[in-house]
């Protein structure tokens, strides 16, 4: 169950503000299945919100700023898995004691557009409490590696840059680059501070 409200306001045709608040509550109930899945029941709730602004610096140039408070409850797989995930070829074991994730995200961007050239730059910083991820356990079960769902504080930052050229009527050249840097916080072993399954830097050029 959830409820939310949003609002927006423009000033002097150059400054545009928007924001919202949302409250969510979730109940999960899992039944026992032989010796594979245990019975458990959990309740989660969270209050989130965001506020953002777009300022028209020039006719074709916009500045974007946003701050948001996020929330995500652990899903049934993260809480109660106990078996091989056929799509990833790994044995996943859930954790009934996982808490919901809460985050603060700050992002900013610049957008420029014209008939022959457009560009966009977006930067973000995200601080997540109780970040949920699957960690390799260092052993195998039923012939596949075991992964345990666990959580901890994390921080992620990165951005995206896109450049699009239209030098001719029938020519479209688009270049996009994205980068994410993600680490676990408060980790004693520095070799284990990098979050698993973080995407690599990516550049895509389409003509």
């Amino acid at each position: 169950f959830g409820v939310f409200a949003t609002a927006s306001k423009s000033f002097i045709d150059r400054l545009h503000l928007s924001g919202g608040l949302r409250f969510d509550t979730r109940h999960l109930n899992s039944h026992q299945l032989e010796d594979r899945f245990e019975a458990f029941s959990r309740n989660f709730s969270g209050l989130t919100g965001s506020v953002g602004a777009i300022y028209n610096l020039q006719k074709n140039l916009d500045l974007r700023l946003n701050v948001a408070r996020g929330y995500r409850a652990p899903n049934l797989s993260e809480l109660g898995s106990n078996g091989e995930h056929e799509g990833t070829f790994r044995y996943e074991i859930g954790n009934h004691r996982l808490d919901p994730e809460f985050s603060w995200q700050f992002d900013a961007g610049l957008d420029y557009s014209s008939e022959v050239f457009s560009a966009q730059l977006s930067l973000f910083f995200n601080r997540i409490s109780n970040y949920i991820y699957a960690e390799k356990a260092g052993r195998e079960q039923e012939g596949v590696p075991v992964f345990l769902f666990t959580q901890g504080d994390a921080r992620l930052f990165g951005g995206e840059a896109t450049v699009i050229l239209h030098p001719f009527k029938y020519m479209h050249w688009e270049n996009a680059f994205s980068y994410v840097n993600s680490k676990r916080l408060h980790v004693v072993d520095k070799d284990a501070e990098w979050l698993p399954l973080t995407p690599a830097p990516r550049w895509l050029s389409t003509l």
Side-chain angles (χ1 to χ4, degrees):
F1 172 80
V3 60
F4 68 92
T6 62
S8 60
K9 178 69 174 177
S10 297
F11 300 90
I12 60 175
D13 296 329
R14 300 188 68 179
L15 177 62
H16 310 278
L17 301 177
S18 63
L21 286 173
R22 174 169 175 154
F23 176 78
D24 289 89
T25 181
R26 170 182 248 186
H27 173 73
L28 288 174
N29 186 57
S30 176
H31 300 282
Q32 183 176 353
L33 179 62
E34 299 178 350
D35 60 347
R36 178 70 78 169
F37 298 105
E38 299 178 3
F40 67 91
S41 180
R42 294 290 306 275
N43 293 298
F44 305 99
S45 61
L47 179 67
T48 57
S50 68
V51 60
I54 299 177
Y55 185 73
N56 307 120
L57 296 171
Q58 296 179 2
K59 181 180 179 180
N60 298 328
L61 182 63
D62 294 333
L63 171 66
R64 294 179 286 108
L65 297 171
N66 190 75
V67 58
R69 171 72 164 168
Y71 155 83
R72 186 182 78 87
N75 59 43
L76 198 56
S77 297
E78 294 164 340
L79 292 167
S81 289
N82 187 13
E84 181 182 354
H85 190 298
E86 300 295 341
T88 58
F89 301 103
R90 64 189 193 187
Y91 194 102
E92 296 182 347
I93 299 178
N95 183 350
H96 300 172
R97 297 178 297 276
L98 292 176
D99 293 320
E101 297 178 343
F102 286 94
S103 70
W104 282 103
Q105 176 162 314
F106 305 88
D107 56 83
L110 278 174
D111 300 322
Y112 177 82
S113 61
S114 67
E115 292 184 0
V116 297
F117 173 79
S118 61
Q120 184 180 71
L121 175 65
S122 300
L123 303 174
F124 75 90
F125 178 87
N126 202 335
R127 173 67 162 78
I128 305 177
S129 301
N130 305 321
Y131 181 82
I132 299 171
Y133 58 96
E135 185 175 46
K136 197 170 185 178
R139 67 177 190 274
E140 291 189 353
Q141 192 161 331
E142 299 180 5
V144 292
V146 174
F147 282 76
L148 307 175
F149 281 104
T150 185
Q151 62 186 168
D153 295 339
R155 70 105 182 99
L156 297 85
F157 70 82
E160 297 179 350
T162 303
V163 176
I164 302 175
L165 296 174
H166 291 283
F168 310 108
K169 182 177 180 181
Y170 300 106
M171 185 177 181
H172 175 91
W173 186 20
E174 180 175 344
N175 291 272
F177 176 78
S178 60
Y179 171 77
V180 178
N181 183 296
S182 56
K183 286 186 177 182
R184 294 189 291 179
L185 301 177
H186 317 302
V187 178
V188 177
D189 184 3
K190 293 300 182 181
D191 293 332
E193 66 181 357
W194 298 101
L195 285 175
L197 303 180
T198 299
R202 181 173 182 262
W203 173 51
L204 178 64
S205 183
T206 304
L207 183 63

